[in-house]
Amino acid sequence: SYDVQCEDSKGKYIIRKLFDAYYTNPQQLPEYAIELYLSDVGQYKTLESIQRTRAKKGIGAIRNKFVIYHAKNSNDTLAQIKLMRVICDHIAGMTDKHAMIEYKKLYG
């Protein structure tokens, strides 16, 4: 039906916009996604080592490491693919309602 098609298109649009927002400014990702990315690219050996760093230095230290790593490796294809995977996994884990809230938060 027309209404279903409209909602489907709206959902696709919101997912694309969320992906674009996170990919162009990945610092907007939640802590767990940044931690997974840093683990995936080998900046931490295990998620437990990330948790120890967070406990000692706080999430700011992890986010700073992420910003520095991402800036240095912005042309590294494998690092970009891993970032895209983390973004996709984060979006895939959202409920429709959460996706709408995030969209409104990012695009207001």
Side-chain angles (χ1 to χ4, degrees):
S1 74
Y2 174 77
D3 292 338
V4 172
Q5 291 296 323
C6 288
E7 288 300 311
D8 187 44
S9 294
K10 182 179 175 183
K12 288 177 185 177
Y13 176 80
I14 289 170
I15 290 169
R16 277 194 307 273
K17 294 300 279 184
L18 287 173
F19 182 89
D20 291 343
Y22 292 133
Y23 188 72
T24 58
N25 193 2
Q27 295 84 356
Q28 298 178 110
L29 285 166
E31 294 169 5
Y32 85 90
I34 288 175
E35 292 170 351
L36 283 174
Y37 173 76
L38 288 173
S39 178
D40 285 349
V41 297
Q43 290 299 294
Y44 290 94
K45 290 185 180 184
T46 63
L47 289 175
E48 289 79 24
S49 64
I50 293 174
Q51 291 169 348
R52 283 191 301 274
T53 300
R54 181 198 279 191
K56 278 185 183 177
K57 300 179 182 177
I59 189 62
I62 295 168
R63 284 192 174 273
N64 286 340
K65 188 167 191 166
F66 170 74
V67 169
I68 292 167
Y69 180 84
H70 181 65
K72 286 182 181 177
N73 295 284
S74 62
N75 292 326
D76 179 358
T77 303
L78 186 57
Q80 293 305 309
I81 290 170
K82 289 181 179 195
L83 177 61
M84 287 183 229
R85 180 78 262 156
V86 167
I87 293 168
C88 289
D89 289 346
H90 173 59
I91 293 171
M94 291 180 177
T95 62
D96 293 350
K97 184 176 181 176
H98 184 195
M100 291 291 296
I101 290 168
E102 283 295 301
Y103 174 81
K104 288 177 183 176
K105 186 168 69 173
L106 294 169
Y107 291 102

